[in-house]
Amino acid sequence: MKVFTRFKKKRWRVAFGLIGLIIFMHLFVPAQHVIWKRLDIDAPIGLATGTKITMIAFAPSSVCLGKLASAQSLDYQMAPPKKEQKKCGWKKAVKVNAVANISFRPNTITAQCPLMLASYIWLGEVDKAAQKYLGSPLKKVHHAGTYSCRRQRGNRSGEWSEHAFANAWDITGFELENGQVISVLKDWHNSSSAQARKKKKFLRKARKSACRVFRVVLSPDYNAAHKDHFHLDQGPSLSCR
């Protein structure tokens, strides 16, 4: 009987402790670290940001599109639906011209909403990293596109690539306001000078922050096929390499 009483008291202490922790987190912990608080896409990446993006991806598309509409500085419009070869295309996607002062080369991207949501948040972190390591804001993202109606690795059969649904983005480099260009191909392994090492550190920071918001991030460390770009996607897999 005494054992049961002690167990019961301990259980109540644990319950009250959990309630206290939840109240503390709700009142004092920033929203990006708390899973049940709403996602603020203009806030820094937090412990719960990636999970919230995934939850939004599985919600009705209106939830994600509503989040994009709340962005402080996103130049976009809805893209017309597209269907190709039965599997490829999208029902709802966005065509993006710029994120704040950051443009693209080529000059637009078309992406499904969860991919763009993660990209918007990520580019804010990349901009901060550019200023920290290279002394200049981010001006332009160099990329190889989001949409391509093909299977994984270009195979004739097998699983479809997330590119087939405009749910993946290949990043080849970055251009800064001061004219610096950072190339994934040229700068990922380059340690030949102090400036080269700064670019190398910047690229690794960009990958690290990408892994916090995208479900799949593949870099030159993954394989030779990715020696010249970051592959970012919001598909069902999980990988950060």
Side-chain angles (χ1 to χ4, degrees), residues 4 9 19 24-25 37 46 60 71 78-79 101 128 140 148 151 197 199 213 215:
F4 176 76
K9 288 181 179 178
I19 292 170
F24 175 83
M25 292 177 68
K37 290 187 177 181
M78 295 301 298
N101 296 319
K128 292 176 188 175
K140 192 170 291 187
S148 176
R151 298 179 189 272
R197 288 190 289 274
K199 288 184 176 182
V213 292
R215 291 182 63 80

mmCIF file with all atom_site columns, all heavy atoms in Angstrom, residues 4 9 19 24-25 37 46 60 71 78-79 101 128 140 148 151 197 199 213 215:
data_model
loop_
_atom_site.group_PDB
_atom_site.id
_atom_site.type_symbol
_atom_site.label_atom_id
_atom_site.label_alt_id
_atom_site.label_comp_id
_atom_site.label_asym_id
_atom_site.label_entity_id
_atom_site.label_seq_id
_atom_site.pdbx_PDB_ins_code
_atom_site.Cartn_x
_atom_site.Cartn_y
_atom_site.Cartn_z
_atom_site.occupancy
_atom_site.B_iso_or_equiv
_atom_site.pdbx_formal_charge
_atom_site.auth_seq_id
_atom_site.auth_comp_id
_atom_site.auth_asym_id
_atom_site.auth_atom_id
_atom_site.pdbx_PDB_model_num
ATOM 1   N N   . PHE A 1 4   ? 2.368  1.801  -3.386  1.00 0.00 ? 4   PHE A N   1
ATOM 2   C CA  . PHE A 1 4   ? 1.379  2.367  -4.300  1.00 0.00 ? 4   PHE A CA  1
ATOM 3   C C   . PHE A 1 4   ? 1.198  3.862  -4.047  1.00 0.00 ? 4   PHE A C   1
ATOM 4   O O   . PHE A 1 4   ? 1.109  4.661  -4.982  1.00 0.00 ? 4   PHE A O   1
ATOM 5   C CB  . PHE A 1 4   ? 0.044  1.639  -4.124  1.00 0.00 ? 4   PHE A CB  1
ATOM 6   C CG  . PHE A 1 4   ? -1.060 2.229  -4.961  1.00 0.00 ? 4   PHE A CG  1
ATOM 7   C CD1 . PHE A 1 4   ? -1.129 1.984  -6.330  1.00 0.00 ? 4   PHE A CD1 1
ATOM 8   C CD2 . PHE A 1 4   ? -2.024 3.053  -4.379  1.00 0.00 ? 4   PHE A CD2 1
ATOM 9   C CE1 . PHE A 1 4   ? -2.141 2.538  -7.096  1.00 0.00 ? 4   PHE A CE1 1
ATOM 10  C CE2 . PHE A 1 4   ? -3.031 3.610  -5.146  1.00 0.00 ? 4   PHE A CE2 1
ATOM 11  C CZ  . PHE A 1 4   ? -3.092 3.348  -6.509  1.00 0.00 ? 4   PHE A CZ  1
ATOM 12  N N   . LYS A 1 9   ? 2.084  9.530  -5.678  1.00 0.00 ? 9   LYS A N   1
ATOM 13  C CA  . LYS A 1 9   ? 2.608  10.874 -5.426  1.00 0.00 ? 9   LYS A CA  1
ATOM 14  C C   . LYS A 1 9   ? 3.649  11.252 -6.481  1.00 0.00 ? 9   LYS A C   1
ATOM 15  O O   . LYS A 1 9   ? 3.687  12.382 -6.965  1.00 0.00 ? 9   LYS A O   1
ATOM 16  C CB  . LYS A 1 9   ? 3.225  10.939 -4.035  1.00 0.00 ? 9   LYS A CB  1
ATOM 17  C CG  . LYS A 1 9   ? 2.209  10.925 -2.903  1.00 0.00 ? 9   LYS A CG  1
ATOM 18  C CD  . LYS A 1 9   ? 2.900  11.014 -1.553  1.00 0.00 ? 9   LYS A CD  1
ATOM 19  C CE  . LYS A 1 9   ? 1.886  11.029 -0.411  1.00 0.00 ? 9   LYS A CE  1
ATOM 20  N NZ  . LYS A 1 9   ? 2.571  11.080 0.905   1.00 0.00 ? 9   LYS A NZ  1
ATOM 21  N N   . ILE A 1 19  ? 3.260  19.914 -16.755 1.00 0.00 ? 19  ILE A N   1
ATOM 22  C CA  . ILE A 1 19  ? 2.358  21.053 -16.961 1.00 0.00 ? 19  ILE A CA  1
ATOM 23  C C   . ILE A 1 19  ? 3.118  22.365 -16.794 1.00 0.00 ? 19  ILE A C   1
ATOM 24  O O   . ILE A 1 19  ? 2.968  23.300 -17.589 1.00 0.00 ? 19  ILE A O   1
ATOM 25  C CB  . ILE A 1 19  ? 1.170  20.984 -15.981 1.00 0.00 ? 19  ILE A CB  1
ATOM 26  C CG1 . ILE A 1 19  ? 0.271  19.795 -16.333 1.00 0.00 ? 19  ILE A CG1 1
ATOM 27  C CG2 . ILE A 1 19  ? 0.365  22.283 -16.018 1.00 0.00 ? 19  ILE A CG2 1
ATOM 28  C CD1 . ILE A 1 19  ? -0.786 19.500 -15.293 1.00 0.00 ? 19  ILE A CD1 1
ATOM 29  N N   . PHE A 1 24  ? 5.686  27.141 -19.127 1.00 0.00 ? 24  PHE A N   1
ATOM 30  C CA  . PHE A 1 24  ? 6.908  27.938 -19.287 1.00 0.00 ? 24  PHE A CA  1
ATOM 31  C C   . PHE A 1 24  ? 7.263  28.092 -20.766 1.00 0.00 ? 24  PHE A C   1
ATOM 32  O O   . PHE A 1 24  ? 7.571  29.194 -21.236 1.00 0.00 ? 24  PHE A O   1
ATOM 33  C CB  . PHE A 1 24  ? 8.062  27.271 -18.541 1.00 0.00 ? 24  PHE A CB  1
ATOM 34  C CG  . PHE A 1 24  ? 9.388  27.950 -18.753 1.00 0.00 ? 24  PHE A CG  1
ATOM 35  C CD1 . PHE A 1 24  ? 9.736  29.066 -18.001 1.00 0.00 ? 24  PHE A CD1 1
ATOM 36  C CD2 . PHE A 1 24  ? 10.278 27.480 -19.709 1.00 0.00 ? 24  PHE A CD2 1
ATOM 37  C CE1 . PHE A 1 24  ? 10.954 29.710 -18.209 1.00 0.00 ? 24  PHE A CE1 1
ATOM 38  C CE2 . PHE A 1 24  ? 11.493 28.113 -19.919 1.00 0.00 ? 24  PHE A CE2 1
ATOM 39  C CZ  . PHE A 1 24  ? 11.833 29.231 -19.170 1.00 0.00 ? 24  PHE A CZ  1
ATOM 40  N N   . MET A 1 25  ? 7.220  26.981 -21.511 1.00 0.00 ? 25  MET A N   1
ATOM 41  C CA  . MET A 1 25  ? 7.558  27.036 -22.936 1.00 0.00 ? 25  MET A CA  1
ATOM 42  C C   . MET A 1 25  ? 6.583  27.919 -23.698 1.00 0.00 ? 25  MET A C   1
ATOM 43  O O   . MET A 1 25  ? 6.971  28.689 -24.582 1.00 0.00 ? 25  MET A O   1
ATOM 44  C CB  . MET A 1 25  ? 7.568  25.619 -23.525 1.00 0.00 ? 25  MET A CB  1
ATOM 45  C CG  . MET A 1 25  ? 8.699  24.743 -23.015 1.00 0.00 ? 25  MET A CG  1
ATOM 46  S SD  . MET A 1 25  ? 8.617  23.055 -23.661 1.00 0.00 ? 25  MET A SD  1
ATOM 47  C CE  . MET A 1 25  ? 8.967  23.343 -25.400 1.00 0.00 ? 25  MET A CE  1
ATOM 48  N N   . LYS A 1 37  ? 3.273  26.089 -31.352 1.00 0.00 ? 37  LYS A N   1
ATOM 49  C CA  . LYS A 1 37  ? 3.071  27.489 -31.719 1.00 0.00 ? 37  LYS A CA  1
ATOM 50  C C   . LYS A 1 37  ? 3.105  27.647 -33.235 1.00 0.00 ? 37  LYS A C   1
ATOM 51  O O   . LYS A 1 37  ? 3.733  26.871 -33.945 1.00 0.00 ? 37  LYS A O   1
ATOM 52  C CB  . LYS A 1 37  ? 4.153  28.366 -31.080 1.00 0.00 ? 37  LYS A CB  1
ATOM 53  C CG  . LYS A 1 37  ? 4.031  28.504 -29.570 1.00 0.00 ? 37  LYS A CG  1
ATOM 54  C CD  . LYS A 1 37  ? 5.039  29.515 -29.032 1.00 0.00 ? 37  LYS A CD  1
ATOM 55  C CE  . LYS A 1 37  ? 4.890  29.717 -27.540 1.00 0.00 ? 37  LYS A CE  1
ATOM 56  N NZ  . LYS A 1 37  ? 5.850  30.731 -27.022 1.00 0.00 ? 37  LYS A NZ  1
ATOM 57  N N   . GLY A 1 46  ? 14.396 27.610 -35.940 1.00 0.00 ? 46  GLY A N   1
ATOM 58  C CA  . GLY A 1 46  ? 14.443 27.113 -34.572 1.00 0.00 ? 46  GLY A CA  1
ATOM 59  C C   . GLY A 1 46  ? 14.367 25.600 -34.520 1.00 0.00 ? 46  GLY A C   1
ATOM 60  O O   . GLY A 1 46  ? 14.334 24.916 -35.551 1.00 0.00 ? 46  GLY A O   1
ATOM 61  N N   . PRO A 1 60  ? -3.962 20.740 -45.843 1.00 0.00 ? 60  PRO A N   1
ATOM 62  C CA  . PRO A 1 60  ? -4.506 21.255 -47.108 1.00 0.00 ? 60  PRO A CA  1
ATOM 63  C C   . PRO A 1 60  ? -3.625 22.370 -47.669 1.00 0.00 ? 60  PRO A C   1
ATOM 64  O O   . PRO A 1 60  ? -3.015 23.136 -46.911 1.00 0.00 ? 60  PRO A O   1
ATOM 65  C CB  . PRO A 1 60  ? -5.889 21.777 -46.699 1.00 0.00 ? 60  PRO A CB  1
ATOM 66  C CG  . PRO A 1 60  ? -6.258 20.958 -45.503 1.00 0.00 ? 60  PRO A CG  1
ATOM 67  C CD  . PRO A 1 60  ? -4.972 20.716 -44.769 1.00 0.00 ? 60  PRO A CD  1
ATOM 68  N N   . ALA A 1 71  ? 4.293  36.265 -45.797 1.00 0.00 ? 71  ALA A N   1
ATOM 69  C CA  . ALA A 1 71  ? 5.712  36.616 -45.884 1.00 0.00 ? 71  ALA A CA  1
ATOM 70  C C   . ALA A 1 71  ? 5.880  38.122 -46.065 1.00 0.00 ? 71  ALA A C   1
ATOM 71  O O   . ALA A 1 71  ? 5.148  38.758 -46.824 1.00 0.00 ? 71  ALA A O   1
ATOM 72  C CB  . ALA A 1 71  ? 6.369  35.875 -47.044 1.00 0.00 ? 71  ALA A CB  1
ATOM 73  N N   . MET A 1 78  ? 0.694  32.769 -58.317 1.00 0.00 ? 78  MET A N   1
ATOM 74  C CA  . MET A 1 78  ? 0.354  31.370 -58.527 1.00 0.00 ? 78  MET A CA  1
ATOM 75  C C   . MET A 1 78  ? 0.741  30.950 -59.944 1.00 0.00 ? 78  MET A C   1
ATOM 76  O O   . MET A 1 78  ? 0.571  31.702 -60.902 1.00 0.00 ? 78  MET A O   1
ATOM 77  C CB  . MET A 1 78  ? -1.141 31.140 -58.313 1.00 0.00 ? 78  MET A CB  1
ATOM 78  C CG  . MET A 1 78  ? -1.615 31.370 -56.885 1.00 0.00 ? 78  MET A CG  1
ATOM 79  S SD  . MET A 1 78  ? -0.794 30.300 -55.674 1.00 0.00 ? 78  MET A SD  1
ATOM 80  C CE  . MET A 1 78  ? -1.289 28.665 -56.244 1.00 0.00 ? 78  MET A CE  1
ATOM 81  N N   . ALA A 1 79  ? 1.280  29.745 -60.054 1.00 0.00 ? 79  ALA A N   1
ATOM 82  C CA  . ALA A 1 79  ? 1.616  29.186 -61.371 1.00 0.00 ? 79  ALA A CA  1
ATOM 83  C C   . ALA A 1 79  ? 0.421  28.387 -61.884 1.00 0.00 ? 79  ALA A C   1
ATOM 84  O O   . ALA A 1 79  ? -0.280 27.742 -61.096 1.00 0.00 ? 79  ALA A O   1
ATOM 85  C CB  . ALA A 1 79  ? 2.837  28.283 -61.256 1.00 0.00 ? 79  ALA A CB  1
ATOM 86  N N   . ASN A 1 101 ? 15.498 41.189 -51.329 1.00 0.00 ? 101 ASN A N   1
ATOM 87  C CA  . ASN A 1 101 ? 16.374 41.723 -52.370 1.00 0.00 ? 101 ASN A CA  1
ATOM 88  C C   . ASN A 1 101 ? 17.160 40.625 -53.085 1.00 0.00 ? 101 ASN A C   1
ATOM 89  O O   . ASN A 1 101 ? 18.094 40.916 -53.832 1.00 0.00 ? 101 ASN A O   1
ATOM 90  C CB  . ASN A 1 101 ? 17.349 42.736 -51.761 1.00 0.00 ? 101 ASN A CB  1
ATOM 91  C CG  . ASN A 1 101 ? 16.636 43.956 -51.208 1.00 0.00 ? 101 ASN A CG  1
ATOM 92  O OD1 . ASN A 1 101 ? 15.703 44.460 -51.825 1.00 0.00 ? 101 ASN A OD1 1
ATOM 93  N ND2 . ASN A 1 101 ? 17.064 44.422 -50.046 1.00 0.00 ? 101 ASN A ND2 1
ATOM 94  N N   . LYS A 1 128 ? 22.236 35.872 -43.812 1.00 0.00 ? 128 LYS A N   1
ATOM 95  C CA  . LYS A 1 128 ? 22.972 36.170 -42.573 1.00 0.00 ? 128 LYS A CA  1
ATOM 96  C C   . LYS A 1 128 ? 24.374 35.569 -42.614 1.00 0.00 ? 128 LYS A C   1
ATOM 97  O O   . LYS A 1 128 ? 25.352 36.203 -42.194 1.00 0.00 ? 128 LYS A O   1
ATOM 98  C CB  . LYS A 1 128 ? 22.209 35.612 -41.368 1.00 0.00 ? 128 LYS A CB  1
ATOM 99  C CG  . LYS A 1 128 ? 20.895 36.302 -41.078 1.00 0.00 ? 128 LYS A CG  1
ATOM 100 C CD  . LYS A 1 128 ? 20.178 35.594 -39.934 1.00 0.00 ? 128 LYS A CD  1
ATOM 101 C CE  . LYS A 1 128 ? 18.774 36.123 -39.736 1.00 0.00 ? 128 LYS A CE  1
ATOM 102 N NZ  . LYS A 1 128 ? 18.034 35.345 -38.708 1.00 0.00 ? 128 LYS A NZ  1
ATOM 103 N N   . LYS A 1 140 ? 21.986 37.197 -55.159 1.00 0.00 ? 140 LYS A N   1
ATOM 104 C CA  . LYS A 1 140 ? 21.404 36.322 -56.174 1.00 0.00 ? 140 LYS A CA  1
ATOM 105 C C   . LYS A 1 140 ? 21.731 34.862 -55.870 1.00 0.00 ? 140 LYS A C   1
ATOM 106 O O   . LYS A 1 140 ? 22.811 34.546 -55.374 1.00 0.00 ? 140 LYS A O   1
ATOM 107 C CB  . LYS A 1 140 ? 21.955 36.706 -57.552 1.00 0.00 ? 140 LYS A CB  1
ATOM 108 C CG  . LYS A 1 140 ? 21.246 36.101 -58.732 1.00 0.00 ? 140 LYS A CG  1
ATOM 109 C CD  . LYS A 1 140 ? 21.722 36.753 -60.038 1.00 0.00 ? 140 LYS A CD  1
ATOM 110 C CE  . LYS A 1 140 ? 21.271 38.194 -60.141 1.00 0.00 ? 140 LYS A CE  1
ATOM 111 N NZ  . LYS A 1 140 ? 21.575 38.782 -61.475 1.00 0.00 ? 140 LYS A NZ  1
ATOM 112 N N   . SER A 1 148 ? 11.717 19.197 -63.560 1.00 0.00 ? 148 SER A N   1
ATOM 113 C CA  . SER A 1 148 ? 12.207 18.394 -64.678 1.00 0.00 ? 148 SER A CA  1
ATOM 114 C C   . SER A 1 148 ? 11.465 17.067 -64.646 1.00 0.00 ? 148 SER A C   1
ATOM 115 O O   . SER A 1 148 ? 11.536 16.335 -63.652 1.00 0.00 ? 148 SER A O   1
ATOM 116 C CB  . SER A 1 148 ? 13.720 18.151 -64.558 1.00 0.00 ? 148 SER A CB  1
ATOM 117 O OG  . SER A 1 148 ? 14.178 17.299 -65.592 1.00 0.00 ? 148 SER A OG  1
ATOM 118 N N   . ARG A 1 151 ? 12.818 10.617 -63.859 1.00 0.00 ? 151 ARG A N   1
ATOM 119 C CA  . ARG A 1 151 ? 12.945 9.732  -62.709 1.00 0.00 ? 151 ARG A CA  1
ATOM 120 C C   . ARG A 1 151 ? 14.256 10.015 -61.977 1.00 0.00 ? 151 ARG A C   1
ATOM 121 O O   . ARG A 1 151 ? 15.103 10.764 -62.468 1.00 0.00 ? 151 ARG A O   1
ATOM 122 C CB  . ARG A 1 151 ? 12.871 8.269  -63.157 1.00 0.00 ? 151 ARG A CB  1
ATOM 123 C CG  . ARG A 1 151 ? 11.530 7.908  -63.803 1.00 0.00 ? 151 ARG A CG  1
ATOM 124 C CD  . ARG A 1 151 ? 11.493 6.464  -64.267 1.00 0.00 ? 151 ARG A CD  1
ATOM 125 N NE  . ARG A 1 151 ? 10.309 6.199  -65.065 1.00 0.00 ? 151 ARG A NE  1
ATOM 126 C CZ  . ARG A 1 151 ? 9.132  5.818  -64.566 1.00 0.00 ? 151 ARG A CZ  1
ATOM 127 N NH1 . ARG A 1 151 ? 8.995  5.644  -63.255 1.00 0.00 ? 151 ARG A NH1 1
ATOM 128 N NH2 . ARG A 1 151 ? 8.101  5.600  -65.358 1.00 0.00 ? 151 ARG A NH2 1
ATOM 129 N N   . ARG A 1 197 ? 38.818 29.821 -47.812 1.00 0.00 ? 197 ARG A N   1
ATOM 130 C CA  . ARG A 1 197 ? 38.345 29.114 -46.613 1.00 0.00 ? 197 ARG A CA  1
ATOM 131 C C   . ARG A 1 197 ? 37.068 29.750 -46.067 1.00 0.00 ? 197 ARG A C   1
ATOM 132 O O   . ARG A 1 197 ? 36.202 29.050 -45.528 1.00 0.00 ? 197 ARG A O   1
ATOM 133 C CB  . ARG A 1 197 ? 39.450 29.086 -45.555 1.00 0.00 ? 197 ARG A CB  1
ATOM 134 C CG  . ARG A 1 197 ? 40.593 28.130 -45.909 1.00 0.00 ? 197 ARG A CG  1
ATOM 135 C CD  . ARG A 1 197 ? 41.554 27.941 -44.756 1.00 0.00 ? 197 ARG A CD  1
ATOM 136 N NE  . ARG A 1 197 ? 42.355 29.133 -44.496 1.00 0.00 ? 197 ARG A NE  1
ATOM 137 C CZ  . ARG A 1 197 ? 43.493 29.426 -45.106 1.00 0.00 ? 197 ARG A CZ  1
ATOM 138 N NH1 . ARG A 1 197 ? 43.978 28.618 -46.044 1.00 0.00 ? 197 ARG A NH1 1
ATOM 139 N NH2 . ARG A 1 197 ? 44.172 30.522 -44.794 1.00 0.00 ? 197 ARG A NH2 1
ATOM 140 N N   . LYS A 1 199 ? 34.771 31.169 -47.970 1.00 0.00 ? 199 LYS A N   1
ATOM 141 C CA  . LYS A 1 199 ? 33.718 30.697 -48.872 1.00 0.00 ? 199 LYS A CA  1
ATOM 142 C C   . LYS A 1 199 ? 33.331 29.254 -48.535 1.00 0.00 ? 199 LYS A C   1
ATOM 143 O O   . LYS A 1 199 ? 32.148 28.893 -48.550 1.00 0.00 ? 199 LYS A O   1
ATOM 144 C CB  . LYS A 1 199 ? 34.184 30.790 -50.326 1.00 0.00 ? 199 LYS A CB  1
ATOM 145 C CG  . LYS A 1 199 ? 34.280 32.204 -50.864 1.00 0.00 ? 199 LYS A CG  1
ATOM 146 C CD  . LYS A 1 199 ? 34.660 32.197 -52.343 1.00 0.00 ? 199 LYS A CD  1
ATOM 147 C CE  . LYS A 1 199 ? 34.677 33.600 -52.929 1.00 0.00 ? 199 LYS A CE  1
ATOM 148 N NZ  . LYS A 1 199 ? 35.002 33.581 -54.380 1.00 0.00 ? 199 LYS A NZ  1
ATOM 149 N N   . VAL A 1 213 ? 15.506 22.729 -42.474 1.00 0.00 ? 213 VAL A N   1
ATOM 150 C CA  . VAL A 1 213 ? 14.184 23.066 -43.016 1.00 0.00 ? 213 VAL A CA  1
ATOM 151 C C   . VAL A 1 213 ? 13.749 22.189 -44.185 1.00 0.00 ? 213 VAL A C   1
ATOM 152 O O   . VAL A 1 213 ? 12.548 22.063 -44.454 1.00 0.00 ? 213 VAL A O   1
ATOM 153 C CB  . VAL A 1 213 ? 14.105 24.551 -43.430 1.00 0.00 ? 213 VAL A CB  1
ATOM 154 C CG1 . VAL A 1 213 ? 14.171 25.455 -42.211 1.00 0.00 ? 213 VAL A CG1 1
ATOM 155 C CG2 . VAL A 1 213 ? 15.197 24.916 -44.422 1.00 0.00 ? 213 VAL A CG2 1
ATOM 156 N N   . ARG A 1 215 ? 13.649 18.388 -46.124 1.00 0.00 ? 215 ARG A N   1
ATOM 157 C CA  . ARG A 1 215 ? 13.685 16.982 -45.731 1.00 0.00 ? 215 ARG A CA  1
ATOM 158 C C   . ARG A 1 215 ? 14.893 16.263 -46.325 1.00 0.00 ? 215 ARG A C   1
ATOM 159 O O   . ARG A 1 215 ? 15.451 15.358 -45.707 1.00 0.00 ? 215 ARG A O   1
ATOM 160 C CB  . ARG A 1 215 ? 12.381 16.288 -46.150 1.00 0.00 ? 215 ARG A CB  1
ATOM 161 C CG  . ARG A 1 215 ? 11.179 16.779 -45.344 1.00 0.00 ? 215 ARG A CG  1
ATOM 162 C CD  . ARG A 1 215 ? 9.909  16.055 -45.722 1.00 0.00 ? 215 ARG A CD  1
ATOM 163 N NE  . ARG A 1 215 ? 9.970  14.639 -45.449 1.00 0.00 ? 215 ARG A NE  1
ATOM 164 C CZ  . ARG A 1 215 ? 9.778  14.080 -44.242 1.00 0.00 ? 215 ARG A CZ  1
ATOM 165 N NH1 . ARG A 1 215 ? 9.529  14.840 -43.190 1.00 0.00 ? 215 ARG A NH1 1
ATOM 166 N NH2 . ARG A 1 215 ? 9.829  12.777 -44.096 1.00 0.00 ? 215 ARG A NH2 1
#
